[in-house]
Amino acid sequence: MKIEFAKCSIPGRRDYNQDYVLAEKLGENQWLFIVADGMGGTKGGEVASALAAESLLQNIKKIESLQPELIKKQLEAIFKKIQIRIAEESSSNKELSDMGTTIVCLIILNDTYIWASLGDSRLYKINSDGIEQLTEDHTFVQDYINKNGSALPDAISAQYEHMLTKSLDGNVDSPDIFPQNTKYEKLNEGDAFLLCSDGLILDKIHTNTQLFKNYVLGSESPKDAVNNLVGYAYEEGSKDNISAIAIKVGEKKYEKLKLKSYALPEQTLELKKSLIERFRSGKEKENGRKD
Protein backbone atom coordinates (compact mmCIF):
# COMPACT_ATOMS: atom_id res chain seq x y z
CA MET A 1 0.00 0.00 0.00
CA LYS A 2 1.07 3.56 -0.64
CA ILE A 3 2.48 5.28 2.44
CA GLU A 4 2.56 9.07 2.72
CA PHE A 5 3.97 10.79 5.78
CA ALA A 6 5.42 14.00 7.15
CA LYS A 7 7.22 14.88 10.36
CA CYS A 8 7.78 18.07 12.28
CA SER A 9 9.74 18.85 15.44
CA ILE A 10 10.29 22.26 17.03
CA PRO A 11 11.82 23.48 20.30
CA GLY A 12 8.67 25.46 21.01
CA ARG A 13 9.15 27.84 23.93
CA ARG A 14 12.26 26.03 25.12
CA ASP A 15 15.83 26.97 24.23
CA TYR A 16 16.68 23.52 22.89
CA ASN A 17 14.91 20.52 21.42
CA GLN A 18 15.13 17.22 23.29
CA ASP A 19 12.62 15.47 21.02
CA TYR A 20 13.78 13.16 18.24
CA VAL A 21 11.67 12.08 15.28
CA LEU A 22 12.56 9.31 12.85
CA ALA A 23 10.89 7.96 9.73
CA GLU A 24 12.94 5.23 8.07
CA LYS A 25 12.24 2.84 5.21
CA LEU A 26 13.28 -0.68 6.26
CA GLY A 27 12.54 -2.36 2.93
CA GLU A 28 9.91 -2.51 0.23
CA ASN A 29 6.62 -1.51 1.91
CA GLN A 30 8.32 -1.64 5.32
CA TRP A 31 8.62 1.42 7.55
CA LEU A 32 9.68 2.42 11.05
CA PHE A 33 8.32 5.61 12.64
CA ILE A 34 9.54 6.89 16.02
CA VAL A 35 8.90 9.86 18.28
CA ALA A 36 11.10 10.11 21.39
CA ASP A 37 10.87 12.83 24.03
CA GLY A 38 14.12 13.24 25.94
CA MET A 39 14.64 14.51 29.45
CA GLY A 40 17.57 15.31 31.71
CA GLY A 41 19.40 18.59 31.26
CA THR A 42 20.41 20.55 28.19
CA LYS A 43 22.37 17.72 26.57
CA GLY A 44 21.03 14.65 28.36
CA GLY A 45 17.56 14.60 26.87
CA GLU A 46 18.80 15.27 23.37
CA VAL A 47 21.33 12.44 23.57
CA ALA A 48 18.89 10.00 25.22
CA SER A 49 16.14 10.44 22.63
CA ALA A 50 18.58 10.16 19.72
CA LEU A 51 20.34 7.16 21.24
CA ALA A 52 17.05 5.34 21.89
CA ALA A 53 15.58 5.97 18.44
CA GLU A 54 18.74 5.19 16.48
CA SER A 55 19.51 2.10 18.58
CA LEU A 56 15.99 0.80 17.99
CA LEU A 57 16.39 1.36 14.25
CA GLN A 58 19.78 -0.38 14.06
CA ASN A 59 18.63 -3.37 16.13
CA ILE A 60 15.51 -3.88 14.02
CA LYS A 61 17.65 -3.74 10.88
CA LYS A 62 19.71 -6.63 12.27
CA ILE A 63 16.67 -8.94 12.35
CA GLU A 64 17.06 -11.31 9.42
CA SER A 65 13.39 -11.62 8.50
CA LEU A 66 11.25 -8.57 9.13
CA GLN A 67 8.07 -10.41 10.03
CA PRO A 68 5.78 -8.85 12.66
CA GLU A 69 5.75 -11.87 14.97
CA LEU A 70 9.56 -12.13 14.87
CA ILE A 71 10.06 -8.45 15.59
CA LYS A 72 7.57 -8.58 18.47
CA LYS A 73 9.48 -11.48 20.04
CA GLN A 74 12.72 -9.46 19.97
CA LEU A 75 11.45 -6.01 20.91
CA GLU A 76 11.62 -6.50 24.68
CA ALA A 77 15.22 -7.70 24.43
CA ILE A 78 16.06 -4.75 22.18
CA PHE A 79 14.64 -2.30 24.70
CA LYS A 80 16.68 -3.97 27.46
CA LYS A 81 19.80 -3.33 25.37
CA ILE A 82 18.81 0.31 25.00
CA GLN A 83 18.31 0.63 28.76
CA ILE A 84 21.83 -0.71 29.26
CA ARG A 85 23.24 1.70 26.66
CA ILE A 86 21.59 4.65 28.38
CA ALA A 87 22.89 3.50 31.77
CA GLU A 88 26.42 3.24 30.36
CA GLU A 89 26.27 6.70 28.81
CA SER A 90 24.80 8.19 31.99
CA SER A 91 27.56 6.76 34.17
CA SER A 92 30.38 7.81 31.83
CA ASN A 93 29.45 11.48 31.42
CA LYS A 94 28.31 13.78 34.23
CA GLU A 95 26.39 15.96 31.81
CA LEU A 96 24.26 12.93 30.90
CA SER A 97 23.83 11.54 34.41
CA ASP A 98 20.06 12.06 34.64
CA MET A 99 19.14 11.48 31.02
CA GLY A 100 16.16 9.50 29.84
CA THR A 101 13.47 9.49 27.19
CA THR A 102 10.00 8.36 26.32
CA ILE A 103 9.49 6.55 23.03
CA VAL A 104 6.65 5.47 20.77
CA CYS A 105 7.20 3.51 17.57
CA LEU A 106 5.05 2.22 14.74
CA ILE A 107 6.35 -0.54 12.46
CA ILE A 108 4.52 -1.05 9.16
CA LEU A 109 5.28 -4.29 7.32
CA ASN A 110 3.39 -4.59 4.04
CA ASP A 111 -0.27 -4.83 5.07
CA THR A 112 0.38 -5.33 8.81
CA TYR A 113 1.57 -3.17 11.68
CA ILE A 114 2.79 -3.46 15.26
CA TRP A 115 3.77 -0.79 17.79
CA ALA A 116 5.40 -0.19 21.16
CA SER A 117 5.70 2.58 23.74
CA LEU A 118 7.36 3.65 26.97
CA GLY A 119 6.34 6.88 28.69
CA ASP A 120 3.73 9.36 27.53
CA SER A 121 4.44 9.89 23.84
CA ARG A 122 1.40 8.69 21.96
CA LEU A 123 0.17 6.84 18.87
CA TYR A 124 -3.30 7.42 17.42
CA LYS A 125 -5.06 5.45 14.68
CA ILE A 126 -7.43 7.52 12.56
CA ASN A 127 -9.93 6.56 9.85
CA SER A 128 -13.55 7.15 8.84
CA ASP A 129 -14.68 5.24 11.94
CA GLY A 130 -13.03 7.74 14.28
CA ILE A 131 -9.79 8.19 16.20
CA GLU A 132 -8.36 5.75 18.75
CA GLN A 133 -5.39 6.15 21.07
CA LEU A 134 -3.38 2.94 20.64
CA THR A 135 -0.98 3.58 23.52
CA GLU A 136 -1.52 4.16 27.21
CA ASP A 137 0.38 6.88 29.06
CA HIS A 138 2.82 5.63 31.68
CA THR A 139 2.05 8.43 34.11
CA PHE A 140 0.93 8.87 37.71
CA VAL A 141 -2.40 10.26 36.51
CA GLN A 142 -3.09 7.32 34.18
CA ASP A 143 -2.19 4.85 36.93
CA TYR A 144 -4.66 6.57 39.24
CA ILE A 145 -7.40 6.33 36.60
CA ASN A 146 -6.66 2.63 36.01
CA LYS A 147 -6.77 1.80 39.72
CA ASN A 148 -9.73 3.96 40.73
CA GLY A 149 -11.87 4.08 37.60
CA SER A 150 -12.08 7.86 37.71
CA ALA A 151 -9.93 10.83 36.89
CA LEU A 152 -8.21 13.07 39.38
CA PRO A 153 -9.67 16.57 39.78
CA ASP A 154 -8.31 18.81 37.02
CA ALA A 155 -6.36 21.00 39.44
CA ILE A 156 -4.51 17.98 40.84
CA SER A 157 -4.00 16.19 37.53
CA ALA A 158 -2.38 19.32 36.10
CA GLN A 159 0.31 19.04 38.80
CA TYR A 160 1.01 15.35 38.24
CA GLU A 161 0.28 14.70 34.55
CA HIS A 162 3.96 14.91 33.58
CA MET A 163 5.14 12.48 36.27
CA LEU A 164 6.19 9.33 34.43
CA THR A 165 5.95 5.84 35.89
CA LYS A 166 8.01 4.22 33.09
CA SER A 167 10.67 5.48 30.70
CA LEU A 168 13.95 4.63 29.00
CA ASP A 169 16.33 5.96 31.65
CA GLY A 170 18.86 3.22 32.22
CA ASN A 171 16.70 1.22 34.60
CA VAL A 172 14.54 -1.87 34.09
CA ASP A 173 11.27 -0.49 32.71
CA SER A 174 9.96 -2.55 29.79
CA PRO A 175 7.75 -1.30 26.95
CA ASP A 176 4.15 -2.03 26.12
CA ILE A 177 4.26 -4.06 22.90
CA PHE A 178 1.16 -4.18 20.74
CA PRO A 179 -1.10 -5.75 19.73
CA GLN A 180 -1.12 -7.82 22.88
CA ASN A 181 -3.54 -10.58 21.93
CA THR A 182 -2.67 -11.14 18.28
CA LYS A 183 0.51 -11.31 16.20
CA TYR A 184 -0.25 -8.05 14.35
CA GLU A 185 -2.98 -5.74 13.17
CA LYS A 186 -4.05 -5.56 9.54
CA LEU A 187 -3.48 -2.33 7.67
CA ASN A 188 -6.49 -1.09 5.71
CA GLU A 189 -6.94 1.35 2.87
CA GLY A 190 -7.68 4.76 4.34
CA ASP A 191 -6.02 4.20 7.70
CA ALA A 192 -3.97 7.05 9.10
CA PHE A 193 -1.72 7.44 12.15
CA LEU A 194 -0.44 10.24 14.32
CA LEU A 195 2.62 9.83 16.56
CA CYS A 196 3.42 12.70 18.91
CA SER A 197 5.36 13.84 21.93
CA ASP A 198 3.33 15.21 24.81
CA GLY A 199 4.12 18.75 23.70
CA LEU A 200 1.29 18.32 21.20
CA ILE A 201 -1.11 17.29 23.98
CA LEU A 202 -2.29 20.48 25.68
CA ASP A 203 -4.59 18.63 28.09
CA LYS A 204 -3.93 14.93 28.67
CA ILE A 205 -7.27 14.34 30.35
CA HIS A 206 -9.45 16.20 27.85
CA THR A 207 -7.48 15.74 24.64
CA ASN A 208 -9.13 17.30 21.59
CA THR A 209 -8.86 14.17 19.46
CA GLN A 210 -11.51 15.40 17.02
CA LEU A 211 -9.11 18.20 16.10
CA PHE A 212 -6.40 15.64 15.40
CA LYS A 213 -8.75 13.63 13.18
CA ASN A 214 -9.93 16.71 11.27
CA TYR A 215 -6.40 17.79 10.39
CA VAL A 216 -4.96 14.35 9.60
CA LEU A 217 -7.85 13.29 7.34
CA GLY A 218 -9.12 16.69 6.17
CA SER A 219 -5.82 18.32 5.12
CA GLU A 220 -4.38 18.38 1.62
CA SER A 221 -1.34 16.38 2.73
CA PRO A 222 0.34 14.89 5.80
CA LYS A 223 2.75 17.83 5.72
CA ASP A 224 -0.11 20.32 6.00
CA ALA A 225 -1.65 18.23 8.77
CA VAL A 226 1.44 17.88 10.93
CA ASN A 227 2.64 21.47 10.48
CA ASN A 228 -0.76 22.87 11.38
CA LEU A 229 -1.12 20.63 14.43
CA VAL A 230 2.32 21.58 15.72
CA GLY A 231 1.59 25.24 14.98
CA TYR A 232 -1.75 24.95 16.78
CA ALA A 233 -0.13 23.49 19.91
CA TYR A 234 2.45 26.29 19.92
CA GLU A 235 -0.13 29.04 19.41
CA GLU A 236 -2.30 27.57 22.17
CA GLY A 237 0.53 27.84 24.66
CA SER A 238 2.41 24.53 24.74
CA LYS A 239 5.50 25.02 26.88
CA ASP A 240 7.30 21.87 25.73
CA ASN A 241 9.12 20.74 22.61
CA ILE A 242 6.50 19.75 20.04
CA SER A 243 6.92 16.82 17.65
CA ALA A 244 4.60 14.78 15.46
CA ILE A 245 4.49 12.41 12.51
CA ALA A 246 1.35 12.08 10.36
CA ILE A 247 0.95 8.99 8.15
CA LYS A 248 -1.67 8.17 5.51
CA VAL A 249 -2.15 4.70 4.03
CA GLY A 250 -3.43 3.99 0.54
CA GLU A 251 -5.24 6.08 -2.05
CA LYS A 252 -8.53 6.72 -0.25
CA LYS A 253 -9.62 10.34 -0.53
CA TYR A 254 -11.30 12.03 2.41
CA GLU A 255 -13.33 15.22 2.21
CA LYS A 256 -11.05 18.23 2.45
CA LEU A 257 -12.16 20.45 5.31
CA LYS A 258 -11.92 24.21 5.70
CA LEU A 259 -9.38 24.23 8.49
CA LYS A 260 -7.62 27.10 10.18
CA SER A 261 -3.96 27.41 9.28
CA TYR A 262 -1.39 27.81 12.04
CA ALA A 263 2.04 29.23 11.36
CA LEU A 264 5.10 27.51 12.72
CA PRO A 265 7.45 29.72 14.75
CA GLU A 266 10.75 30.67 13.14
CA GLN A 267 12.73 27.72 14.46
CA THR A 268 14.73 24.80 13.13
CA LEU A 269 12.20 22.13 12.17
CA GLU A 270 14.58 19.20 11.96
CA LEU A 271 16.91 17.94 14.68
CA LYS A 272 20.68 18.21 14.41
CA LYS A 273 21.89 15.97 11.62
CA SER A 274 25.17 15.49 13.46
CA LEU A 275 23.35 13.40 16.05
CA ILE A 276 21.87 11.16 13.37
CA GLU A 277 25.26 10.72 11.71
CA ARG A 278 26.89 10.10 15.08
CA PHE A 279 24.69 7.18 16.03
CA ARG A 280 24.54 5.65 12.58
CA SER A 281 28.32 5.76 12.22
CA GLY A 282 28.71 3.72 15.39
CA LYS A 283 30.78 6.44 17.09
CA GLU A 284 28.10 7.62 19.49
CA LYS A 285 30.02 6.67 22.64
CA GLU A 286 33.26 8.32 21.61
CA ASN A 287 31.60 11.53 20.41
CA GLY A 288 29.10 11.57 23.24
CA ARG A 289 31.86 11.65 25.84
CA LYS A 290 33.55 14.59 24.12
CA ASP A 291 30.43 16.75 24.29
Side-chain angles (χ1 to χ4, degrees), residues 113-137:
Y113 64 95
I114 59 176
W115 66 100
S117 71
L118 253 175
D120 59 356
S121 293
R122 292 181 176 180
L123 170 65
Y124 293 93
K125 179 183 177 181
I126 307 167
N127 54 33
S128 55
D129 293 330
I131 177 169
E132 177 186 4
Q133 183 178 333
L134 296 183
T135 54
E136 183 175 278
D137 294 349

PDB file of all heavy atoms in Angstrom, residues 113-137:
ATOM      1  N   TYR A 113       0.808  -4.108  10.852  1.00  0.00           N
ATOM      2  CA  TYR A 113       1.573  -3.175  11.685  1.00  0.00           C
ATOM      3  C   TYR A 113       1.576  -3.629  13.131  1.00  0.00           C
ATOM      4  O   TYR A 113       0.676  -4.325  13.597  1.00  0.00           O
ATOM      5  CB  TYR A 113       1.019  -1.748  11.566  1.00  0.00           C
ATOM      6  CG  TYR A 113      -0.381  -1.528  12.075  1.00  0.00           C
ATOM      7  CD1 TYR A 113      -0.618  -1.063  13.370  1.00  0.00           C
ATOM      8  CD2 TYR A 113      -1.487  -1.761  11.252  1.00  0.00           C
ATOM      9  CE1 TYR A 113      -1.906  -0.844  13.836  1.00  0.00           C
ATOM     10  CE2 TYR A 113      -2.782  -1.538  11.706  1.00  0.00           C
ATOM     11  CZ  TYR A 113      -2.982  -1.078  12.999  1.00  0.00           C
ATOM     12  OH  TYR A 113      -4.263  -0.861  13.456  1.00  0.00           O
ATOM     13  N   ILE A 114       2.648  -3.253  13.831  1.00  0.00           N
ATOM     14  CA  ILE A 114       2.792  -3.462  15.260  1.00  0.00           C
ATOM     15  C   ILE A 114       3.329  -2.167  15.843  1.00  0.00           C
ATOM     16  O   ILE A 114       3.800  -1.289  15.123  1.00  0.00           O
ATOM     17  CB  ILE A 114       3.735  -4.640  15.593  1.00  0.00           C
ATOM     18  CG1 ILE A 114       5.127  -4.389  15.006  1.00  0.00           C
ATOM     19  CG2 ILE A 114       3.158  -5.945  15.077  1.00  0.00           C
ATOM     20  CD1 ILE A 114       6.145  -5.454  15.366  1.00  0.00           C
ATOM     21  N   TRP A 115       3.300  -2.032  17.182  1.00  0.00           N
ATOM     22  CA  TRP A 115       3.772  -0.793  17.789  1.00  0.00           C
ATOM     23  C   TRP A 115       4.189  -1.033  19.227  1.00  0.00           C
ATOM     24  O   TRP A 115       3.870  -2.072  19.820  1.00  0.00           O
ATOM     25  CB  TRP A 115       2.719   0.302  17.677  1.00  0.00           C
ATOM     26  CG  TRP A 115       1.445   0.092  18.460  1.00  0.00           C
ATOM     27  CD1 TRP A 115       1.104   0.651  19.669  1.00  0.00           C
ATOM     28  CD2 TRP A 115       0.321  -0.718  18.079  1.00  0.00           C
ATOM     29  NE1 TRP A 115      -0.144   0.246  20.058  1.00  0.00           N
ATOM     30  CE2 TRP A 115      -0.658  -0.590  19.103  1.00  0.00           C
ATOM     31  CE3 TRP A 115       0.037  -1.540  16.979  1.00  0.00           C
ATOM     32  CZ2 TRP A 115      -1.877  -1.266  19.060  1.00  0.00           C
ATOM     33  CZ3 TRP A 115      -1.175  -2.223  16.944  1.00  0.00           C
ATOM     34  CH2 TRP A 115      -2.125  -2.067  17.964  1.00  0.00           C
ATOM     35  N   ALA A 116       4.927  -0.076  19.782  1.00  0.00           N
ATOM     36  CA  ALA A 116       5.399  -0.190  21.161  1.00  0.00           C
ATOM     37  C   ALA A 116       5.563   1.200  21.747  1.00  0.00           C
ATOM     38  O   ALA A 116       5.730   2.184  21.014  1.00  0.00           O
ATOM     39  CB  ALA A 116       6.727  -0.946  21.214  1.00  0.00           C
ATOM     40  N   SER A 117       5.537   1.278  23.095  1.00  0.00           N
ATOM     41  CA  SER A 117       5.698   2.579  23.741  1.00  0.00           C
ATOM     42  C   SER A 117       6.224   2.435  25.157  1.00  0.00           C
ATOM     43  O   SER A 117       6.020   1.420  25.820  1.00  0.00           O
ATOM     44  CB  SER A 117       4.366   3.345  23.756  1.00  0.00           C
ATOM     45  OG  SER A 117       3.451   2.744  24.661  1.00  0.00           O
ATOM     46  N   LEU A 118       6.907   3.483  25.598  1.00  0.00           N
ATOM     47  CA  LEU A 118       7.364   3.647  26.971  1.00  0.00           C
ATOM     48  C   LEU A 118       7.251   5.134  27.296  1.00  0.00           C
ATOM     49  O   LEU A 118       7.821   5.966  26.590  1.00  0.00           O
ATOM     50  CB  LEU A 118       8.819   3.213  27.114  1.00  0.00           C
ATOM     51  CG  LEU A 118       9.145   1.903  27.831  1.00  0.00           C
ATOM     52  CD1 LEU A 118      10.632   1.616  27.741  1.00  0.00           C
ATOM     53  CD2 LEU A 118       8.707   1.950  29.280  1.00  0.00           C
ATOM     54  N   GLY A 119       6.504   5.472  28.341  1.00  0.00           N
ATOM     55  CA  GLY A 119       6.343   6.875  28.690  1.00  0.00           C
ATOM     56  C   GLY A 119       5.019   7.437  28.229  1.00  0.00           C
ATOM     57  O   GLY A 119       4.018   6.720  28.160  1.00  0.00           O
ATOM     58  N   ASP A 120       5.001   8.722  27.865  1.00  0.00           N
ATOM     59  CA  ASP A 120       3.735   9.365  27.532  1.00  0.00           C
ATOM     60  C   ASP A 120       3.689   9.957  26.138  1.00  0.00           C
ATOM     61  O   ASP A 120       2.817  10.780  25.839  1.00  0.00           O
ATOM     62  CB  ASP A 120       3.390  10.442  28.569  1.00  0.00           C
ATOM     63  CG  ASP A 120       4.448  11.530  28.671  1.00  0.00           C
ATOM     64  OD1 ASP A 120       5.496  11.423  27.989  1.00  0.00           O
ATOM     65  OD2 ASP A 120       4.231  12.484  29.444  1.00  0.00           O
ATOM     66  N   SER A 121       4.629   9.572  25.254  1.00  0.00           N
ATOM     67  CA  SER A 121       4.442   9.894  23.844  1.00  0.00           C
ATOM     68  C   SER A 121       3.382   8.950  23.296  1.00  0.00           C
ATOM     69  O   SER A 121       3.288   7.803  23.734  1.00  0.00           O
ATOM     70  CB  SER A 121       5.760   9.755  23.077  1.00  0.00           C
ATOM     71  OG  SER A 121       6.678  10.746  23.502  1.00  0.00           O
ATOM     72  N   ARG A 122       2.608   9.416  22.335  1.00  0.00           N
ATOM     73  CA  ARG A 122       1.396   8.686  21.962  1.00  0.00           C
ATOM     74  C   ARG A 122       1.342   8.284  20.487  1.00  0.00           C
ATOM     75  O   ARG A 122       1.973   8.898  19.630  1.00  0.00           O
ATOM     76  CB  ARG A 122       0.155   9.530  22.270  1.00  0.00           C
ATOM     77  CG  ARG A 122      -0.106   9.755  23.740  1.00  0.00           C
ATOM     78  CD  ARG A 122      -1.364  10.587  23.955  1.00  0.00           C
ATOM     79  NE  ARG A 122      -1.684  10.747  25.373  1.00  0.00           N
ATOM     80  CZ  ARG A 122      -2.729  11.429  25.829  1.00  0.00           C
ATOM     81  NH1 ARG A 122      -3.567  12.016  24.973  1.00  0.00           N
ATOM     82  NH2 ARG A 122      -2.943  11.530  27.137  1.00  0.00           N
ATOM     83  N   LEU A 123       0.513   7.260  20.222  1.00  0.00           N
ATOM     84  CA  LEU A 123       0.167   6.840  18.866  1.00  0.00           C
ATOM     85  C   LEU A 123      -1.346   6.791  18.750  1.00  0.00           C
ATOM     86  O   LEU A 123      -2.024   6.182  19.590  1.00  0.00           O
ATOM     87  CB  LEU A 123       0.753   5.457  18.556  1.00  0.00           C
ATOM     88  CG  LEU A 123       0.277   4.795  17.254  1.00  0.00           C
ATOM     89  CD1 LEU A 123       0.724   5.592  16.036  1.00  0.00           C
ATOM     90  CD2 LEU A 123       0.773   3.351  17.164  1.00  0.00           C
ATOM     91  N   TYR A 124      -1.875   7.449  17.721  1.00  0.00           N
ATOM     92  CA  TYR A 124      -3.301   7.418  17.416  1.00  0.00           C
ATOM     93  C   TYR A 124      -3.522   6.763  16.052  1.00  0.00           C
ATOM     94  O   TYR A 124      -2.747   6.978  15.118  1.00  0.00           O
ATOM     95  CB  TYR A 124      -3.886   8.829  17.349  1.00  0.00           C
ATOM     96  CG  TYR A 124      -3.912   9.569  18.659  1.00  0.00           C
ATOM     97  CD1 TYR A 124      -2.861  10.410  19.029  1.00  0.00           C
ATOM     98  CD2 TYR A 124      -4.990   9.468  19.536  1.00  0.00           C
ATOM     99  CE1 TYR A 124      -2.879  11.112  20.225  1.00  0.00           C
ATOM    100  CE2 TYR A 124      -5.028  10.163  20.728  1.00  0.00           C
ATOM    101  CZ  TYR A 124      -3.964  10.983  21.071  1.00  0.00           C
ATOM    102  OH  TYR A 124      -3.999  11.669  22.263  1.00  0.00           O
ATOM    103  N   LYS A 125      -4.594   5.968  15.959  1.00  0.00           N
ATOM    104  CA  LYS A 125      -5.060   5.447  14.678  1.00  0.00           C
ATOM    105  C   LYS A 125      -6.310   6.224  14.282  1.00  0.00           C
ATOM    106  O   LYS A 125      -7.209   6.432  15.107  1.00  0.00           O
ATOM    107  CB  LYS A 125      -5.388   3.961  14.780  1.00  0.00           C
ATOM    108  CG  LYS A 125      -5.919   3.359  13.477  1.00  0.00           C
ATOM    109  CD  LYS A 125      -6.301   1.898  13.681  1.00  0.00           C
ATOM    110  CE  LYS A 125      -6.902   1.306  12.412  1.00  0.00           C
ATOM    111  NZ  LYS A 125      -7.308  -0.114  12.612  1.00  0.00           N
ATOM    112  N   ILE A 126      -6.347   6.647  13.020  1.00  0.00           N
ATOM    113  CA  ILE A 126      -7.428   7.516  12.561  1.00  0.00           C
ATOM    114  C   ILE A 126      -7.968   6.990  11.233  1.00  0.00           C
ATOM    115  O   ILE A 126      -7.197   6.666  10.321  1.00  0.00           O
ATOM    116  CB  ILE A 126      -6.921   8.961  12.366  1.00  0.00           C
ATOM    117  CG1 ILE A 126      -6.208   9.456  13.641  1.00  0.00           C
ATOM    118  CG2 ILE A 126      -8.064   9.902  12.003  1.00  0.00           C
ATOM    119  CD1 ILE A 126      -5.411  10.722  13.444  1.00  0.00           C
ATOM    120  N   ASN A 127      -9.281   6.879  11.125  1.00  0.00           N
ATOM    121  CA  ASN A 127      -9.927   6.562   9.846  1.00  0.00           C
ATOM    122  C   ASN A 127     -11.366   7.058   9.885  1.00  0.00           C
ATOM    123  O   ASN A 127     -11.748   7.803  10.806  1.00  0.00           O
ATOM    124  CB  ASN A 127      -9.840   5.064   9.533  1.00  0.00           C
ATOM    125  CG  ASN A 127     -10.386   4.190  10.648  1.00  0.00           C
ATOM    126  OD1 ASN A 127     -11.326   4.573  11.345  1.00  0.00           O
ATOM    127  ND2 ASN A 127      -9.807   3.008  10.820  1.00  0.00           N
ATOM    128  N   SER A 128     -12.173   6.653   8.920  1.00  0.00           N
ATOM    129  CA  SER A 128     -13.548   7.146   8.838  1.00  0.00           C
ATOM    130  C   SER A 128     -14.391   6.724  10.039  1.00  0.00           C
ATOM    131  O   SER A 128     -15.421   7.327  10.333  1.00  0.00           O
ATOM    132  CB  SER A 128     -14.209   6.671   7.545  1.00  0.00           C
ATOM    133  OG  SER A 128     -14.130   5.258   7.442  1.00  0.00           O
ATOM    134  N   ASP A 129     -13.946   5.682  10.763  1.00  0.00           N
ATOM    135  CA  ASP A 129     -14.682   5.237  11.943  1.00  0.00           C
ATOM    136  C   ASP A 129     -14.422   6.114  13.163  1.00  0.00           C
ATOM    137  O   ASP A 129     -15.178   6.071  14.138  1.00  0.00           O
ATOM    138  CB  ASP A 129     -14.312   3.787  12.291  1.00  0.00           C
ATOM    139  CG  ASP A 129     -14.782   2.808  11.227  1.00  0.00           C
ATOM    140  OD1 ASP A 129     -15.801   3.101  10.576  1.00  0.00           O
ATOM    141  OD2 ASP A 129     -14.125   1.764  11.057  1.00  0.00           O
ATOM    142  N   GLY A 130     -13.332   6.886  13.135  1.00  0.00           N
ATOM    143  CA  GLY A 130     -13.025   7.740  14.276  1.00  0.00           C
ATOM    144  C   GLY A 130     -11.533   7.772  14.552  1.00  0.00           C
ATOM    145  O   GLY A 130     -10.711   7.473  13.690  1.00  0.00           O
ATOM    146  N   ILE A 131     -11.188   8.121  15.784  1.00  0.00           N
ATOM    147  CA  ILE A 131      -9.791   8.187  16.204  1.00  0.00           C
ATOM    148  C   ILE A 131      -9.646   7.411  17.505  1.00  0.00           C
ATOM    149  O   ILE A 131     -10.472   7.530  18.411  1.00  0.00           O
ATOM    150  CB  ILE A 131      -9.313   9.646  16.359  1.00  0.00           C
ATOM    151  CG1 ILE A 131      -7.861   9.688  16.882  1.00  0.00           C
ATOM    152  CG2 ILE A 131     -10.242  10.452  17.252  1.00  0.00           C
ATOM    153  CD1 ILE A 131      -7.235  11.075  16.812  1.00  0.00           C
ATOM    154  N   GLU A 132      -8.585   6.610  17.590  1.00  0.00           N
ATOM    155  CA  GLU A 132      -8.364   5.750  18.753  1.00  0.00           C
ATOM    156  C   GLU A 132      -6.924   5.901  19.223  1.00  0.00           C
ATOM    157  O   GLU A 132      -5.985   5.808  18.419  1.00  0.00           O
ATOM    158  CB  GLU A 132      -8.634   4.292  18.389  1.00  0.00           C
ATOM    159  CG  GLU A 132      -8.365   3.305  19.508  1.00  0.00           C
ATOM    160  CD  GLU A 132      -8.503   1.864  19.067  1.00  0.00           C
ATOM    161  OE1 GLU A 132      -8.733   1.626  17.861  1.00  0.00           O
ATOM    162  OE2 GLU A 132      -8.360   0.973  19.931  1.00  0.00           O
ATOM    163  N   GLN A 133      -6.725   6.133  20.506  1.00  0.00           N
ATOM    164  CA  GLN A 133      -5.387   6.146  21.069  1.00  0.00           C
ATOM    165  C   GLN A 133      -4.942   4.702  21.274  1.00  0.00           C
ATOM    166  O   GLN A 133      -5.560   3.946  22.016  1.00  0.00           O
ATOM    167  CB  GLN A 133      -5.354   6.901  22.394  1.00  0.00           C
ATOM    168  CG  GLN A 133      -3.951   7.010  22.983  1.00  0.00           C
ATOM    169  CD  GLN A 133      -3.921   7.804  24.277  1.00  0.00           C
ATOM    170  OE1 GLN A 133      -4.761   8.669  24.506  1.00  0.00           O
ATOM    171  NE2 GLN A 133      -2.952   7.513  25.135  1.00  0.00           N
ATOM    172  N   LEU A 134      -3.851   4.314  20.603  1.00  0.00           N
ATOM    173  CA  LEU A 134      -3.384   2.937  20.637  1.00  0.00           C
ATOM    174  C   LEU A 134      -2.387   2.676  21.759  1.00  0.00           C
ATOM    175  O   LEU A 134      -2.028   1.526  22.006  1.00  0.00           O
ATOM    176  CB  LEU A 134      -2.743   2.572  19.297  1.00  0.00           C
ATOM    177  CG  LEU A 134      -3.655   2.588  18.068  1.00  0.00           C
ATOM    178  CD1 LEU A 134      -2.881   2.134  16.836  1.00  0.00           C
ATOM    179  CD2 LEU A 134      -4.894   1.723  18.273  1.00  0.00           C
ATOM    180  N   THR A 135      -1.918   3.716  22.407  1.00  0.00           N
ATOM    181  CA  THR A 135      -0.979   3.581  23.515  1.00  0.00           C
ATOM    182  C   THR A 135      -1.622   4.081  24.797  1.00  0.00           C
ATOM    183  O   THR A 135      -2.613   4.804  24.763  1.00  0.00           O
ATOM    184  CB  THR A 135       0.296   4.390  23.242  1.00  0.00           C
ATOM    185  OG1 THR A 135      -0.065   5.746  22.945  1.00  0.00           O
ATOM    186  CG2 THR A 135       1.071   3.806  22.086  1.00  0.00           C
ATOM    187  N   GLU A 136      -1.050   3.675  25.911  1.00  0.00           N
ATOM    188  CA  GLU A 136      -1.521   4.165  27.211  1.00  0.00           C
ATOM    189  C   GLU A 136      -0.382   4.891  27.899  1.00  0.00           C
ATOM    190  O   GLU A 136       0.736   4.375  27.980  1.00  0.00           O
ATOM    191  CB  GLU A 136      -2.011   3.015  28.085  1.00  0.00           C
ATOM    192  CG  GLU A 136      -2.578   3.473  29.420  1.00  0.00           C
ATOM    193  CD  GLU A 136      -3.182   2.332  30.223  1.00  0.00           C
ATOM    194  OE1 GLU A 136      -4.350   1.973  29.939  1.00  0.00           O
ATOM    195  OE2 GLU A 136      -2.483   1.791  31.100  1.00  0.00           O
ATOM    196  N   ASP A 137      -0.651   6.093  28.393  1.00  0.00           N
ATOM    197  CA  ASP A 137       0.383   6.875  29.058  1.00  0.00           C
ATOM    198  C   ASP A 137       0.902   6.152  30.297  1.00  0.00           C
ATOM    199  O   ASP A 137       0.123   5.623  31.095  1.00  0.00           O
ATOM    200  CB  ASP A 137      -0.163   8.240  29.499  1.00  0.00           C
ATOM    201  CG  ASP A 137      -0.543   9.126  28.329  1.00  0.00           C
ATOM    202  OD1 ASP A 137      -0.195   8.781  27.184  1.00  0.00           O
ATOM    203  OD2 ASP A 137      -1.169  10.171  28.567  1.00  0.00           O
TER     204      ASP A 137
END
